[in-house]
Amino acid sequence: MWVYEKKLLYPVEVTTCNPMLAKYLMEQYGGADGELAAALRYMNQRYTVPDTVIGVLTDISTEEFSHLEMLATMIYKLTKDATPEQLEKAGLGAHFVNHGHSLFYNNAGGVPFTSTYIQSKGDPIADLYEDIAAEEKARATYQWLIDISDDPGVTDALRFLRERENVHSLRFRESVEILKDERDRKKIF
């Protein structure tokens, strides 16, 4: 199903050690509105949508996994040279004690990822509206991360991710219209 290219979807340049910024990025890594939740949600929903839009869910789910890889790269680069004292000052002391410099799927508050973040109703139109909302929440979160980022390379990558959320939202909106047209079309038997 996938072909893995050994490069990021978009380059990630990190110029400073900044555990606090890394902590904030964890919201998009393992939070309710983050990339892991989105990728799993869309991959799961693709089994209960009509064939006319299944490819959209598959494509966007796949891209969300690449966004997750970009975030992991940013978080790792922002923390890899941090001392235990710097991590503790940034509120990542408990994370360091439990995981060292390894990444773990949790949000900025340290709450571990849970499958309850994944929404799926089984109604294609309802699910697509949920997906539109998820993309808009991710877009808003990326904007807030951009607003607090002081690393030009991270900010650049975050802008790329924010714009991709806009594209995903538009593709889901188009999919809703396709399904509404199919639903409302006169059926002659």
Side-chain angles (χ1 to χ4, degrees):
M1 180 171 176
W2 287 294
V3 175
Y4 177 69
E5 291 184 38
K6 294 183 179 183
K7 65 178 186 174
L8 295 175
L9 180 64
Y10 187 84
V12 171
E13 300 294 328
V14 175
T15 58
T16 60
C17 174
N18 188 337
M20 185 62 78
L21 182 55
K23 178 181 177 180
Y24 297 143
L25 293 178
M26 288 178 183
E27 190 62 38
Q28 287 299 88
Y29 189 66
D33 301 321
E35 302 293 355
L36 179 62
L40 295 174
R41 176 186 303 118
Y42 309 152
M43 189 60 67
N44 187 57
Q45 290 173 350
R46 68 186 289 275
Y47 293 100
T48 56
V49 297
D51 289 344
T52 51
V53 298
I54 194 170
V56 172
L57 285 160
T58 305
D59 291 349
I60 295 175
S61 173
T62 301
E63 186 174 336
E64 299 291 8
F65 280 116
S66 70
H67 296 178
L68 194 65
E69 184 180 30
M70 289 175 63
L71 283 162
T73 300
M74 286 185 265
I75 293 166
Y76 178 74
K77 287 181 174 184
L78 287 164
T79 59
K80 70 181 178 76
D81 295 325
T83 65
E85 293 78 23
Q86 288 173 307
L87 293 168
E88 189 171 9
K89 185 177 177 187
L92 294 172
H95 178 95
F96 178 73
V97 168
N98 203 17
H99 306 288
H101 285 281
S102 179
L103 277 64
F104 187 77
Y105 293 107
N106 52 262
N107 68 12
V111 177
F113 181 83
T114 172
S115 63
T116 59
Y117 295 161
I118 302 167
Q119 299 298 316
S120 186
K121 193 67 175 169
D123 177 276
I125 293 175
D127 283 343
L128 286 167
Y129 276 122
E130 170 66 31
D131 300 342
I132 292 165
E135 294 297 324
E136 294 299 330
K137 290 185 276 187
R139 177 201 46 79
T141 303
Y142 278 125
Q143 183 58 56
W144 297 325
L145 289 168
I146 289 165
D147 292 345
I148 64 167
S149 174
D150 59 356
D151 187 300
V154 170
T155 301
D156 181 54
L158 293 173
R159 282 189 180 116
F160 171 82
L161 292 169
R162 179 195 60 201
E163 293 312 310
R164 294 308 301 162
E165 303 305 335
N166 287 329
V167 171
H168 297 169
S169 179
L170 290 171
R171 292 197 63 207
F172 285 139
R173 290 170 198 272
E174 292 165 357
S175 297
V176 166
E177 294 308 313
I178 289 168
L179 294 182
K180 283 182 175 179
D181 287 346
E182 287 179 5
R183 178 194 65 191
D184 297 339
R185 188 177 310 126
K186 277 191 173 184
K187 296 180 177 61
I188 300 171
F189 297 97

